Amino acid sequence: MKTLLTSTSALAVLAVGLFAAAPVAHATFINDAATGLAAPAFTQDFSNPALADNSVVTNQFARVSFTPSVYYNPQTGFGFTGNTVGNFTFASEPAFINPVTLTFSTPVTGAAFLMAADDTPYTFTALLGGIQVDSGSATVTGTAGHFGFTGEVFDRIVIDETASVGGGPYWLLGDLQLSAPFVREPARLAVPEPASLVLLGVSFVALGAMRRRKRS
C-alpha cells in the first residue's frame, strides 16, 4: 500500500506540473534588416515637435523616452531620410552617452528603428518591467539598417556598446516603428486536458485511501 501511495503521490505532482507548465516564447532579434516591422501601428520620425539642432531629447516625442537623455541630430546621410537622435552632439564631440535605454509608453510586441554607427559592436536588450526578455548583438555600420525585436512583449530596449572601436560608440537613430500597444487579456480558467484529468483523479483516489487507512 505504501508503494501505491508513493506512486500516486508522484502522479499527483505530475498532474499539478501539467497545469502549471506553459511554453516560453522568445523575441526575434531584427539585425541590420532592410525593413523593420511588417505592419507598424506607429512610426516616430522625430519631426514633431520641431527641435533645434543638438537639443537635449528625453520625452518630447510621443510613445518613447530616452534615459539618459540623447540629442537631436537632423541627418540626410548615412541611409537616413529624415530626423534622427543620437548619443552624441556635434557641438561637443568626442563626448558620447552609453548605454541608452528607450522606454515605451506602453508595452509592445514589436519595435524597430533605423540605426547607423561607426562599425561598432552593440548589444540590444529587450526588457519588460526591468526583466530581460531577449537580447542580440550586432556590429552597426555607417549605413543605417533596422534593429529591434518582435514576437514578445517588452517595454524598453537598451542599446549598449560592447567594444570600443575607432573613435567611440557614436550612433544615430531614426524612424522608430512600434506595434500596437499590448493589452493583456483577462485571466481565463484553464480547461484540463483528458490526460490531466485522469492523473488528477488518481491523486484524489490516493488521498482518499490515505484517509481511510488513518481512520482504521
Side-chain angles (χ1 to χ4, degrees), residues 115-187:
M115 182 175 174
D118 191 16
D119 294 328
T120 304
Y122 287 87
T123 296
F124 302 83
T125 306
L127 303 101
L128 177 64
I131 299 175
Q132 180 174 322
V133 173
D134 209 343
S135 67
S137 298
T139 296
V140 183
T141 69
T143 301
H146 288 89
F147 298 86
F149 296 92
T150 186
E152 183 57 290
V153 181
F154 53 95
D155 59 9
R156 67 196 67 186
I157 293 177
V158 178
I159 303 173
D160 189 7
E161 176 221 15
T162 55
S164 182
V165 177
Y170 304 108
W171 53 256
L172 294 170
L173 182 153
D175 287 336
L176 171 65
Q177 302 173 344
L178 297 176
S179 70
F182 173 76
V183 178
R184 187 177 299 278
E185 294 183 0

Side-chain angles (χ1 to χ4, degrees), residues 37-77:
L37 301 184
F42 174 82
T43 299
Q44 178 55 263
D45 62 4
F46 302 106
S47 63
N48 185 23
L51 300 178
D53 293 4
N54 301 317
S55 294
V56 173
V57 176
T58 52
N59 60 356
Q60 295 99 314
F61 296 101
R63 299 282 301 275
V64 64
S65 61
F66 296 89
T67 309
S69 57
V70 292
Y71 298 95
Y72 182 70
N73 287 312
Q75 288 290 331
T76 55

Side-chain angles (χ1 to χ4, degrees), residues 13-116:
V13 172
L14 178 59
V16 173
L18 288 173
F19 285 116
V24 179
H26 291 281
T28 298
F29 176 48
I30 301 171
N31 184 352
D32 199 18
T35 58
L37 301 184
F42 174 82
T43 299
Q44 178 55 263
D45 62 4
F46 302 106
S47 63
N48 185 23
L51 300 178
D53 293 4
N54 301 317
S55 294
V56 173
V57 176
T58 52
N59 60 356
Q60 295 99 314
F61 296 101
R63 299 282 301 275
V64 64
S65 61
F66 296 89
T67 309
S69 57
V70 292
Y71 298 95
Y72 182 70
N73 287 312
Q75 288 290 331
T76 55
F78 306 104
F80 295 103
T81 58
N83 302 317
T84 67
V85 297
N87 69 334
F88 68 99
T89 168
F90 289 104
S92 62
E93 289 189 82
F96 56 84
I97 302 164
N98 185 77
V100 173
T101 300
L102 285 68
T103 301
F104 311 122
S105 57
T106 59
V108 296
T109 57
F113 44 82
L114 277 174
M115 182 175 174

